[in-house]
Amino acid sequence: MTDSLLGTYRRAPMELVRAEGVRLYDADGKAYLDFASGIAVNALGYNDAGVNAAIAEAAATGLIHTSNLFRTAPGEQLADKLVAASFADKVFFCNSGAEANEGAFKFARRWARNVGGPAKHEIISLRGAFHGRLFGTVAATDRPQYRNHFRPLAGGIHIHERSIDELSRVISDEQTAAVIAEPIQGEGGVRVLDAGFVRELRALTAERNVLLILDEIQCGYGRTGSFFAYEQYGITPDLLTMAKPMAGGLPMGAVLLTQRVAEAVQPGDHGTTFGGGPLVAHVANHVFDRLRDPALLAHVRREGEWLGDQLLALSARSAKVRAIRGRGFMWGVDVTDPAKDVVARALSQGLILVGAGDHTLRLLPPLVMERRDLAQGLNALEAAIG
Ligand SMILES: Cc1ncc(COP(=O)(O)O)c(C=O)c1O
């Protein structure tokens, strides 16, 4: 084990050396069933033949990277597909979730300055939110331990309660550029925003000429059983951010925008060297086609419902489970023990889980996981909860 890596993570002790399907293997040959997907990234599992072929095809062209100063086909094709599949008219590609949200904040402010002048710059996020760890996004992230050591944070970004009454008091046409929300808060404990709340928030922002940004970095791209999570709420946002599963494990993010916001953004307003490069975008085209497959989305809805039923039964028979929440292949389990202890016990039994706060476990299996593997994971989960 090296001492050379900066200590930003408490890594699990085993060294992962290969993976296949929904299992990872360590240097001793021990198998781990994956209920985390590399934190909601590996939707198609591991060593997927289609993803591997897409990487090889793209590499064979010799064009791994060109910069955004030149046109390449894969990014253009993917942008067309995303526009055709969503509310959006334009797409901006980047390399991560936080970078997508930073871009969305800038695009929102660019639009707001045009329509309302410099006073209209405020960005509002919600209690429990996680939007990333960069300077703008950490200011919109509601976790004191991620924020406190880095003050002063970026200005003009405020966190408010998930309450229409409060938001109605603080959102103003004159000062607010945008509100950002995760339809299902991930890191904040897998909190599914209530459909009524989301619809009222959409109506409130529209009425006050404020943009609504949906952060679907964790909950989008099929994870909750529809391609975009917003489809289940009967509303559309003005901007939407995504990242994690987009390119089969390669780094990629994107911002989707409506025409009126896109029109405000001019050449030079924003940029990124790697974003939407030909190799990642070629792989992302393949992943898009696979995750748009109605059969896969039906699998996530059906097996996700079964998963929810099993978790409910578990919560009924275990005094150590306080509550469960979720949808599709994204579930949170509140436990009485510290989540990190349960995660460690699960790992020793060959199950990979992640936490979401001090007492919440997060279940994010690859979207291709079959019932027998889900059932094996649930057995190991129950044993780890104790
Ligand atoms: C909802 C949400 N937004 C933003 C991010 C930040 O993404 P990244 O880690 O790729 O910067 C995450 C990451 O967990 C996330 O879950």
Side-chain angles (χ1 to χ4, degrees):
M1 200 185 298
T2 180
D3 272 339
S4 305
L5 281 169
L6 185 65
T8 49
Y9 284 94
R10 260 185 223 103
R11 288 190 172 81
M14 79 284 193
E15 184 195 357
L16 297 172
V17 293
R18 68 181 188 90
E20 180 68 45
V22 293
R23 286 180 177 75
L24 297 119
Y25 298 86
D26 71 14
D28 300 326
K30 179 174 171 181
Y32 298 85
L33 180 64
D34 184 16
F35 262 37
S37 303
I39 322 185
V41 170
N42 299 313
L44 296 170
Y46 300 86
N47 205 16
D48 177 84
V51 170
N52 289 354
I55 293 171
E57 283 157 19
T61 67
L63 285 183
I64 292 175
H65 170 79
T66 57
S67 89
N68 279 306
L69 301 177
F70 304 100
R71 291 182 49 215
T72 47
E76 293 189 0
Q77 285 160 1
L78 182 63
D80 286 343
K81 286 183 193 176
L82 287 165
V83 164
S86 74
F87 69 94
D89 303 299
K90 301 281 182 201
V91 181
F92 174 83
F93 291 121
C94 56
N95 307 285
S96 71
E99 195 189 342
N101 284 335
E102 297 271 342
F105 292 175
K106 282 182 67 183
F107 302 147
R109 280 201 176 160
R110 190 69 174 87
W111 167 85
R113 182 166 291 238
N114 279 4
V115 301
K120 188 172 171 71
H121 66 266
E122 188 185 46
I123 290 161
I124 290 175
S125 70
L126 303 181
R127 183 68 63 222
F130 183 91
H131 296 298
R133 316 279 203 104
L134 302 180
F135 259 101
T137 45
V138 83
T141 289
D142 185 26
R143 271 283 199 86
Q145 66 268 43
Y146 294 163
R147 302 161 57 89
N148 287 351
H149 298 300
F150 305 100
R151 293 178 189 282
L153 303 177
I157 303 179
H158 304 290
I159 300 171
H160 288 284
E161 297 302 326
R162 298 185 301 260
S163 135
I164 289 297
D165 283 351
E166 172 158 338
L167 292 168
S168 178
R169 268 197 307 280
V170 297
I171 293 174
S172 79
D173 186 357
E174 292 70 37
Q175 289 181 354
T176 317
V179 176
I180 183 167
E182 300 152 85
I184 300 188
Q185 294 186 333
E187 305 274 328
V190 190
R191 291 179 199 282
V192 184
L193 292 193
D194 178 66
F197 171 80
V198 173
R199 287 195 204 112
E200 284 187 65
L201 179 61
R202 173 67 284 188
L204 179 67
T205 48
E207 182 193 301
R208 308 231 173 131
N209 201 26
V210 165
L211 301 175
L212 177 63
I213 307 169
L214 289 183
D215 176 342
E216 295 209 6
I217 289 161
Q218 190 163 151
C219 66
Y221 249 63
R223 180 144 298 274
T224 66
S226 54
F227 188 70
F228 293 107
Y230 75 79
E231 293 167 31
Q232 297 176 41
Y233 286 89
I235 58 125
T236 58
D238 302 293
L239 299 104
L240 181 141
T241 53
M242 53 203 191
K244 290 177 179 285
M246 281 190 80
L250 298 175
M252 188 178 212
V255 186
L256 305 187
L257 310 85
T258 54
Q259 184 65 24
R260 74 180 171 131
V261 184
E263 273 167 8
V265 182
Q266 301 301 317
D269 279 346
H270 194 53
T272 177
T273 297
F274 292 111
L279 186 139
V280 286
H282 182 72
V283 179
N285 271 291
H286 175 78
V287 171
F288 176 94
D289 296 343
R290 298 271 300 280
L291 297 185
R292 286 284 291 170
D293 178 1
L296 179 78
L297 295 172
H299 166 84
V300 173
R301 287 193 296 275
R302 186 183 59 246
E303 297 307 307
E305 211 170 290
W306 180 83
L307 198 52
D309 288 345
Q310 303 305 305
L311 291 170
L312 202 61
L314 169 61
S315 74
R317 63 177 178 266
S318 169
K320 294 196 158 195
V321 176
R322 284 198 185 121
I324 64 151
R325 292 175 297 277
R327 188 173 285 175
F329 273 30
M330 179 170 185
W331 288 89
V333 179
D334 288 350
V335 286
T336 51
D337 285 352
K340 66 176 181 12
D341 296 352
V342 183
V343 169
R345 291 201 293 267
L347 199 62
S348 70
Q349 311 207 10
L351 176 70
I352 296 182
L353 291 174
V354 278
D358 295 343
H359 287 276
T360 304
L361 308 169
R362 208 166 6 146
L363 278 48
L364 301 162
L367 303 187
V368 294
M369 193 178 278
E370 299 290 347
R371 189 169 296 186
R372 65 178 179 283
D373 291 318
L374 292 169
Q376 186 192 330
L378 287 170
N379 284 339
L381 173 72
E382 184 161 7
I385 289 171

